[in-house]
């Protein structure tokens, strides 16, 4: 018997504007929901302005569940669409 850990694969993108990197960082983290993490940030400055524009990608990191299977292939076959397999170990 093997046990696999899975979690949902879900991302979203948010946009913020700020006067500097610390403000942009703060705004992104203020909009990051519980159980999510910042997966990437792209920051740009306009040639005619001092305001920074940022597009941040947020990835879901909660919702971990367990699956059981007879072997690795069985566990892998039970991973639902929209989920990723994190690990597999013997029970």
């Amino acid at each position: 018997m093997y046990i696999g850990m899975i979690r949902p694969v879900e991302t979203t993108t948010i946009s913020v504007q700020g006067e500097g990197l610390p403000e942009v960082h703060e705004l992104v983290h203020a909009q990051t929901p519980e159980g999510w993490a910042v997966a990437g940030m792209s920051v740009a400055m306009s040639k005619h302005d001092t305001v920074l524009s940022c597009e941040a990608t947020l990835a879901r990191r909660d919702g971990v569940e367990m699956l059981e299977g007879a072997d690795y292939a069985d566990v892998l076959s039970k991973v639902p669409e929209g989920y990723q397999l994190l690990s597999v170990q013997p029970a």
Side-chain angles (χ1 to χ4, degrees):
M1 180 66 70
Y2 285 81
I3 298 175
M5 293 179 59
I6 61 171
R7 76 169 170 220
V9 176
E10 186 177 350
T11 61
T12 189
T13 303
I14 60 170
S15 298
V16 298
Q17 291 186 333
E19 292 295 324
L21 288 176
E23 182 180 359
V24 167
H25 185 266
E26 183 179 311
L27 291 169
V28 168
H29 284 281
Q31 292 185 38
T32 303
E34 184 78 26
W36 291 64
V38 179
M41 294 173 59
S42 175
V43 180
M45 180 183 278
S46 170
K47 292 180 181 179
H48 307 290
D49 203 356
T50 60
V51 174
L52 295 176
S53 298
C54 172
E55 277 204 10
T57 301
L58 308 178
R60 188 170 179 182
R61 295 296 185 234
D62 64 353
V64 174
E65 299 176 26
M66 302 251 223
L67 293 176
E68 291 185 0
D71 55 23
Y72 175 80
D74 189 30
V75 172
L76 190 58
S77 71
K78 292 180 179 180
V79 177
E81 185 72 32
Y83 279 75
Q84 72 180 124
L85 183 62
L86 301 174
S87 67
V88 177
Q89 60 187 11

